[in-house]
Amino acid sequence: MSSDIIRARFEEWTKGLDPLAARISVFEHVRDIPYSFPASRDPQEVLRNGCGSCSGKHYLLGELFRLLGLKARHMICTHRFNESPIGFEEAMQEMLRKNEIVDLHDYLQIDVDGAWVDVDATWQKELREFGFPVNEEWDGTSPMALSVVAENHEVAGGDPEKMKDELLSKLTPRQRMLRKEFLTSLAAWVKELTAEAGRESGLA
């Protein structure tokens, strides 16, 4: 059952909208919650803190979609940041030149007319100008591009958080260390870029 804060945001973000427009609205609001790592995966904490990782943002979005009566399922895929199209800053590029950095990424699928459609709300819209694969202008029915170059997609049935932790535990200690270091640097860089975009917007 959704908490009071989730219900309140749901009502705020969908008030007066038809079902399709409401679907788009909740996606856009969650997408534009700033990315952060480390961060709570709890949807309520994502709203309270105003930031979240890919896991927390998609756990929240899944709850909002279900409040709209949509069938939603959580997905997990493996990816390597070495294959990302993002032009990371120099220190991160150096990490990638020296190491293969493996990660597990969360996203959603929703049932649209009997077909499962990919939904990825990882990157907020301000990051588009910095080359991040932001999903903009969604029509509410079409599959989205994922924010990573994915492989080994799996449906996270049951408890998606537990499944992700189990998959992470299969990485070597060095892989987990490198992943944590890279994601921490990524989140700090994203914060800087978001602040820069805000300053430029204020000057416009």
Side-chain angles (χ1 to χ4, degrees), residues 1-15:
M1 182 175 293
S2 298
S3 71
D4 290 343
I5 188 172
I6 294 174
R7 175 67 67 173
R9 289 293 190 279
F10 174 78
E11 293 177 354
E12 175 187 342
W13 294 343
T14 62
K15 185 176 180 180

Side-chain angles (χ1 to χ4, degrees), residues 2-204:
S2 298
S3 71
D4 290 343
I5 188 172
I6 294 174
R7 175 67 67 173
R9 289 293 190 279
F10 174 78
E11 293 177 354
E12 175 187 342
W13 294 343
T14 62
K15 185 176 180 180
L17 300 178
D18 64 49
L20 184 60
R23 181 187 309 178
I24 296 169
S25 177
V26 296
F27 164 75
E28 291 180 344
H29 277 91
V30 174
R31 178 199 64 197
D32 293 336
I33 293 172
Y35 174 85
S36 183
F37 179 91
S40 173
R41 295 172 179 169
D42 184 331
Q44 300 174 61
E45 291 301 308
V46 172
L47 289 173
R48 291 191 185 101
N49 297 332
C51 62
S53 64
C54 66
S55 300
K57 291 177 71 170
H58 288 106
Y59 294 169
L60 170 60
L61 186 56
E63 291 209 25
L64 295 168
F65 279 152
R66 292 182 192 102
L67 287 172
L68 284 168
L70 294 169
K71 292 180 180 178
R73 66 184 187 183
H74 295 276
M75 303 292 295
I76 298 176
C77 64
T78 304
H79 74 103
R80 289 162 176 77
F81 279 109
N82 309 71
E83 299 174 2
S84 173
I86 298 171
F88 298 110
E89 56 89 24
E90 181 55 34
M92 296 166 69
Q93 294 275 14
E94 183 66 16
M95 284 184 65
L96 293 171
R97 283 193 286 269
K98 294 179 178 178
N99 307 282
E100 180 182 64
I101 299 181
V102 181
D103 185 32
L104 294 166
H105 176 63
D106 291 82
Y107 63 101
L108 286 175
Q109 289 185 336
I110 59 171
D111 186 325
V112 177
D113 299 326
W116 289 107
V117 170
D118 292 343
V119 175
D120 194 315
T122 302
W123 305 126
Q124 61 263 36
K125 64 183 177 182
E126 292 90 349
L127 298 175
R128 169 67 79 184
E129 64 183 279
F130 301 104
F132 284 67
V134 177
N135 282 305
E136 294 184 293
E137 300 181 2
W138 184 43
D139 61 9
T141 60
S142 300
M144 297 181 192
L146 298 184
S147 62
V148 300
V149 179
E151 55 186 73
N152 301 328
H153 305 257
E154 295 189 55
V155 178
D159 184 341
E161 184 170 11
K162 180 179 179 181
M163 179 175 176
K164 183 165 187 175
D165 286 340
E166 289 174 350
L167 291 171
L168 285 171
S169 73
K170 295 178 181 178
L171 299 179
T172 68
R174 177 173 173 76
Q175 285 176 322
R176 291 196 296 272
M177 178 195 71
L178 288 168
R179 171 185 178 269
K180 183 177 181 180
E181 182 179 346
F182 191 86
L183 287 172
T184 301
S185 297
L186 174 60
W189 183 52
V190 164
K191 187 175 182 179
E192 291 176 6
L193 296 179
T194 303
E196 181 180 334
R199 288 192 297 270
E200 291 179 355
S201 176
L203 294 173

